[in-house]
Amino acid sequence: MRWLGGLGLAVGMLGGGTLAGGVARAQAPDAFTIGICAEAELEAAKQGLAKSGPSADGKGFTILMYKYRFCPQAATLAVGTAVTWINVDKRTSHSVWLKEAGRPESDRLFNAETVTMVFDKPGTYRYLCGPHWEKEAMSGTLLIR
Ligand SMILES: [Cu+2]
């Protein structure tokens, strides 16, 4: 997994990780999260930010960070996909932290800031928002295959 870093900086090369068991699992989002994510799309459009989902060339995938949720909360992506997280919130910073894989937390991202990681190895990658995983349960899952 390569961290391309927030603000276009290369942060370094990292290997991929697979959770114990290797079972590809992704829970469906709850109704609250679905509502937040619908709002996130509207807010991103209003701010001129990317929408969530695959990029036009199919090589990238965007995840929005909004109101203590990652949108979409779970995604199944091909190996080599460049995943970009964008903070849509105006007054709350978020991060991306692959804690279970033993990775360092990304920078705290402010409004419209991004971090991009390329996932080079198949596996289940659960990740958290550093400031909001404990109290707000802000987390997401990527199935890379
Ligand atoms: Cu957060």
Side-chain angles (χ1 to χ4, degrees), residues 54-116:
S55 59
D57 65 7
K59 293 176 182 171
F61 191 89
T62 300
I63 297 174
L64 306 179
M65 310 161 92
Y66 186 67
K67 291 191 175 175
Y68 313 126
R69 287 296 179 272
F70 292 105
C71 301
Q73 195 171 58
T76 300
L77 304 172
V79 168
T81 302
V83 180
T84 297
W85 286 264
I86 303 177
N87 184 4
V88 178
D89 271 313
K90 288 191 173 166
R91 292 172 191 84
T92 306
S93 65
H94 300 289
S95 69
V96 178
W97 186 15
L98 284 94
K99 185 172 183 281
E100 289 176 350
R103 308 297 178 223
E105 185 183 353
S106 74
D107 286 345
R108 300 281 166 96
L109 306 175
F110 292 90
N111 178 239
E113 290 185 338
T114 67
V115 64
T116 299

